[in-house]
Amino acid sequence: MTMSNTGGRRKPPTIHDVARVAGVSRGTVSRVLNGGHYVSPAAQEAVNAAIRKTGYVVNRHARSLITGRSDSIGFLLTEPQEKLFEDPNFNVLLRCCTQALAAHDIPLLLMLAGTEDERRRITRYITAGHVDGVLLVSSHSCDPVADELHEAGVPVVQCGKPMGLGSKVSYVAADDRGGARDMVRHLLSLGRRRIGVVSGPLDTPGGVDRLAGYKEVLGEAGVEIDERLIVSGDYSRASGEAGAERLLARAPDMDAVFVASDLMAQGALTALRRAGRRVPEDVSVGGFDDSVAATESTPALTTIRQPYDRISAEMVRVLLAQIGGDDPAAVILPTELVRRDST
Amino acid sequence: MTMSNTGGRRKPPTIHDVARVAGVSRGTVSRVLNGGHYVSPAAQEAVNAAIRKTGYVVNRHARSLITGRSDSIGFLLTEPQEKLFEDPNFNVLLRCCTQALAAHDIPLLLMLAGTEDERRRITRYITAGHVDGVLLVSSHSCDPVADELHEAGVPVVQCGKPMGLGSKVSYVAADDRGGARDMVRHLLSLGRRRIGVVSGPLDTPGGVDRLAGYKEVLGEAGVEIDERLIVSGDYSRASGEAGAERLLARAPDMDAVFVASDLMAQGALTALRRAGRRVPEDVSVGGFDDSVAATESTPALTTIRQPYDRISAEMVRVLLAQIGGDDPAAVILPTELVRRDST
DNA sequence: CTGTGCTCTGTGAGCGTTCACAGTAGAGAA
DNA sequence: TTCTCTACTGTGAACGCTCACAGAGCACAG
């Protein structure tokens, strides 16, 4: 009786069609669709059968028009994209967030705000209510856009700790300080005492916290903190290479180095090799992130694993809770030391 | 007179508000919004001023409800995501597509269909009309989902040539055969005659075409095609390493090797180094893709550049044209030889 | 003067859904 | 019986927009 469905787009069945087939009213179908409260088991079953039979899928536009929700969320990237897309961590984050949202049947809109123009356009788009919330990733993590959106009443969860203390924006981050502490303790346990550090940029919380962890542990262990053993980079491979070179020049007796990202650690390995230092025999090298870079380098890096899968899951959880009316929340997740061949 | 807009989400202005402020009717505002035909300059100006004043942004849900278009498109990935997300090419593709769409003010929905369940859910979502079209990326590029969607009347553009010849699905691909030809010609021009190949998987058009290009050029140059010089891999680093090892075992006099992806070429470099072969002195190595892997390896790889930026732009162009009513189209884009240190 | 064609404008209907409300039926209490 | 309460169901009115249509005003030809 029904027409064949191949070739050409056919007008999809509406809630009305389902109601007719099930022999109930629109309202009942709608109730079944939205949780099934106050629906008799018989009606429930009839509606479900009709949905299967007609192949009905809810029209989200019509729903959104009346509920005011869009049932979709935005994944916003506010930094130069070339850089972030090369970062394996970012890819994991994007993938995990998409999957976590898919479990809730919520589509993810990818938004890239590299230029000022794009930023404006996207901000308008978001504040116009086209997404219910925003997952924000920014390498600086002190991006004003987070506060802007928050001010405008848009639920936001940021990946990584915000710089300013005044910010009331939700965030999920790994325990940078704790991770750094673990790594430095590990290096100390190997008998190393001249431990250098290539920190991250000191205008980011991650950079500051990892350096703080380093200093704390050395202090606690009664090891002198030597400023010649401290340099900072920008998380790029090149800056890791340059940083390690500078350390070697200033402190040739360095016997270990904590490098605040795996990518930088790769660069550091290059510099050490060129300087004729054997890793791990002469110098132990510890990274941070446990990205694919850690296993690809030779020797494979001992590093601090950031639980990106859990970070994504938490970001989604916190965001959905906030959309549901909860207050902003901050979540810090524990890291884990992963031993490989570089220490 | 207007209320402050900070804190809490305020009901956004509608087309009605704009009309009132501009002193015209809804219809006129709508016409301005949709191209401004049949609108007097005075009304045009009044409406634009009112839009600026009220901060009006069109409610896409309401629009979609009536137009039937969603004004958004899906970026669909049908393969195990871990693998693809590691692939730098894929990242470039995703980024460029997002930007190309942003230029048309069209949001991109990221859809990952790893499991069979996810596939079904996403297919329903798509065929229900929640996106106007789909950009499809699949490493196999012989995915049945392309034809399924096409059959269902959903505009689809695939990245890479489809395997089956019967498929009427649009695609955009780099010139694999031509690229392979260029590389092998390049190796010949260096005086190499015992040229091996690590091809891609032979159940994919890319794998087949690159191998075909290799054989063609050797044939044209009158160089004997030696089956011992031909192995295939799966584009992974490990398979490149294994492939190069096998080649060396079977043909120790090999003086060059064309490896069908940069990632595999990295693996091949490792195998060659281990076997004591110098690159490029003893063996020239040519890659394919010009991904970041090409510059990161030592020596930096001579490779064939796939114009991913142009591929993305073309995918979007073809898809939008198809949504606009055009017939499916196939686009093949030229590649480019990039000389570095490995040849 | 009428008719025709053009540009421009306003209006009503309707897209597919949810929500509030009214209403029904049946059970149990008074 | 009658009243109340609960579980369930149907209906009209929105949500904000576009589209088709009708109509106004004007110019110009017949």
Side-chain angles (χ1 to χ4, degrees):
Chain A
M1 218 51 81
T2 63
M3 295 170 74
S4 149
N5 214 34
T6 53
R9 258 204 228 221
R10 199 147 256 95
K11 203 169 181 171
T14 74
I15 204 173
H16 226 107
D17 300 320
V18 175
R20 197 164 25 74
V21 171
V24 298
S25 72
R26 282 169 12 243
T28 301
V29 177
S30 177
R31 275 184 287 265
V32 171
L33 253 35
N34 295 289
H37 299 302
Y38 288 95
V39 182
S40 67
Q44 180 94 246
E45 184 42 48
V47 168
N48 282 327
I51 288 176
R52 275 192 301 274
K53 185 169 169 194
T54 54
Y56 170 79
V57 178
V58 68
N59 182 325
R60 300 169 91 111
H61 300 305
R63 172 183 285 173
S64 296
L65 183 54
I66 183 153
T67 61
R69 285 176 285 119
S70 68
D71 290 321
S72 65
I73 76 103
F75 189 96
L76 175 57
L77 212 61
T78 60
E79 296 307 311
Q81 293 106 29
E82 304 75 24
K83 215 169 117 195
L84 264 173
F85 267 88
E86 276 176 26
D87 187 343
N89 304 320
F90 163 71
N91 291 323
V92 175
L93 213 57
L94 178 56
R95 178 160 54 84
C96 291
C97 285
T98 307
Q99 287 173 331
L101 285 169
H104 293 271
D105 210 27
I106 297 176
L108 176 147
L109 274 68
L110 185 59
M111 313 183 177
L112 308 178
T115 69
E116 198 50 46
D117 261 10
E118 289 170 343
R119 272 175 99 97
R120 250 196 308 277
R121 203 175 43 76
I122 289 174
T123 308
R124 279 179 79 92
Y125 184 86
I126 292 173
T127 49
H130 290 313
V131 292
D132 295 339
V134 174
L135 298 169
L136 179 64
V137 177
S138 155
S139 59
H140 285 142
S141 71
C142 52
D143 204 289
V145 83
D147 288 304
E148 272 172 45
L149 291 174
H150 183 73
E151 287 295 313
V154 180
V156 180
V157 176
Q158 189 165 359
C159 175
K161 213 158 138 186
M163 197 68 196
L165 289 168
S167 175
K168 276 297 293 168
V169 175
S170 293
Y171 68 90
V172 177
D175 183 4
D176 289 304
R177 219 177 98 253
R181 290 180 58 97
D182 288 346
M183 177 59 79
V184 178
R185 258 199 300 258
H186 168 64
L187 295 172
L188 284 171
S189 77
L190 297 170
R192 308 296 178 165
R193 287 298 175 274
R194 295 290 291 162
I195 303 176
V197 61
V198 182
S199 81
L202 295 180
D203 57 348
T204 71
V208 171
D209 286 358
R210 291 176 202 176
L211 182 58
Y214 161 88
K215 287 183 175 171
E216 277 174 25
V217 170
L218 286 192
E220 287 163 21
V223 174
E224 177 210 8
I225 291 174
D226 182 346
E227 288 296 330
R228 284 170 304 179
L229 283 168
I230 301 179
V231 301
S232 63
D234 63 2
Y235 292 135
S236 74
R237 183 187 315 255
S239 79
E241 193 171 334
E245 238 162 31
R246 212 152 69 252
L247 287 177
L248 285 172
R250 303 200 306 203
D253 61 336
M254 178 171 78
D255 57 10
V257 58
F258 165 45
V259 190
S261 86
D262 288 343
L263 226 52
M264 287 202 296
Q266 277 198 331
L269 287 179
T270 306
L272 288 166
R273 191 179 309 125
R274 194 170 38 229
R277 303 296 212 282
R278 288 168 307 163
V279 175
E281 293 84 350
D282 303 330
V283 179
S284 295
V285 176
F288 207 103
D289 285 346
D290 194 24
S291 66
V292 289
T295 51
E296 281 172 5
S297 64
T298 38
L301 284 168
T302 292
T303 188
I304 297 293
R305 192 175 111 75
Q306 297 215 54
Y308 281 107
D309 44 351
R310 288 191 56 201
I311 290 178
S312 325
E314 279 300 297
M315 285 176 71
V316 168
R317 194 187 60 73
V318 170
L319 183 61
L320 293 183
Q322 209 170 320
I323 290 170
D326 284 19
D327 284 334
V331 178
I332 305 235
L333 295 169
T335 58
E336 189 193 345
L337 178 76
V338 181
R339 285 210 57 177
R340 295 211 181 80
D341 309 329
S342 66
T343 58
Chain B
M1 219 46 83
T2 61
M3 297 169 72
S4 150
N5 213 33
T6 53
R9 258 203 230 222
R10 199 148 258 96
K11 201 167 179 171
T14 74
I15 203 172
H16 224 108
D17 300 321
V18 175
R20 196 164 26 75
V21 171
V24 298
S25 71
R26 285 168 10 241
T28 301
V29 177
S30 178
R31 275 184 285 267
V32 171
L33 253 36
N34 295 287
H37 300 302
Y38 287 98
V39 181
S40 67
Q44 181 93 248
E45 186 40 50
V47 168
N48 282 327
I51 287 176
R52 274 193 301 274
K53 185 170 170 195
T54 55
Y56 171 78
V57 178
V58 67
N59 181 326
R60 299 169 91 112
H61 300 303
R63 172 184 284 174
S64 294
L65 185 55
I66 183 153
T67 60
R69 286 175 286 118
S70 68
D71 290 321
S72 65
I73 77 102
F75 189 95
L76 175 58
L77 213 60
T78 60
E79 295 309 311
Q81 291 107 29
E82 304 76 23
K83 216 170 115 194
L84 265 171
F85 267 88
E86 278 177 25
D87 186 344
N89 304 318
F90 163 73
N91 291 324
V92 175
L93 213 56
L94 177 57
R95 177 162 54 84
C96 292
C97 284
T98 307
Q99 287 172 330
L101 285 168
H104 294 270
D105 210 26
I106 297 176
L108 176 147
L109 275 69
L110 185 57
M111 311 182 174
L112 308 178
T115 68
E116 198 50 46
D117 260 11
E118 289 171 341
R119 271 176 101 96
R120 250 196 307 277
R121 203 176 44 74
I122 289 174
T123 308
R124 279 178 80 90
Y125 185 87
I126 293 173
T127 49
H130 291 313
V131 293
D132 295 339
V134 173
L135 298 169
L136 179 64
V137 177
S138 154
S139 60
H140 284 140
S141 71
C142 50
D143 205 289
V145 84
D147 288 304
E148 272 171 47
L149 292 174
H150 183 73
E151 287 295 313
V154 179
V156 180
V157 176
Q158 188 165 1
C159 175
K161 212 158 137 188
M163 196 68 196
L165 289 168
S167 174
K168 278 299 291 171
V169 175
S170 292
Y171 67 90
V172 177
D175 184 3
D176 290 303
R177 220 177 97 252
R181 290 179 58 97
D182 288 347
M183 177 58 79
V184 178
R185 256 199 300 260
H186 169 62
L187 296 173
L188 284 171
S189 78
L190 298 170
R192 309 295 177 164
R193 286 299 176 273
R194 295 290 291 163
I195 303 175
V197 62
V198 182
S199 81
L202 295 180
D203 57 348
T204 70
V208 171
D209 286 358
R210 292 175 202 177
L211 182 58
Y214 162 86
K215 287 183 174 172
E216 277 174 24
V217 171
L218 287 193
E220 289 163 19
V223 175
E224 176 210 10
I225 292 173
D226 183 344
E227 288 298 330
R228 284 170 304 180
L229 282 168
I230 302 178
V231 300
S232 63
D234 64 2
Y235 291 135
S236 74
R237 183 188 314 256
S239 79
E241 193 170 335
E245 239 162 30
R246 213 153 68 252
L247 287 177
L248 284 172
R250 302 200 308 203
D253 61 335
M254 179 171 76
D255 58 9
V257 57
F258 164 47
V259 190
S261 86
D262 288 343
L263 227 50
M264 289 202 294
Q266 278 198 330
L269 288 178
T270 307
L272 288 166
R273 192 179 310 124
R274 193 169 40 226
R277 303 296 211 283
R278 291 168 305 164
V279 175
E281 293 84 351
D282 304 329
V283 179
S284 296
V285 176
F288 206 102
D289 285 346
D290 195 24
S291 65
V292 288
T295 50
E296 283 174 3
S297 64
T298 37
L301 284 169
T302 292
T303 188
I304 298 294
R305 192 173 111 76
Q306 296 215 55
Y308 281 106
D309 46 350
R310 287 192 56 202
I311 290 178
S312 324
E314 278 300 297
M315 284 176 72
V316 168
R317 195 187 58 73
V318 170
L319 184 61
L320 294 182
Q322 210 170 319
I323 290 169
D326 283 19
D327 285 332
V331 178
I332 306 238
L333 295 169
T335 58
E336 190 193 345
L337 179 76
V338 181
R339 285 209 60 175
R340 296 211 179 82
D341 310 328
S342 67
T343 58

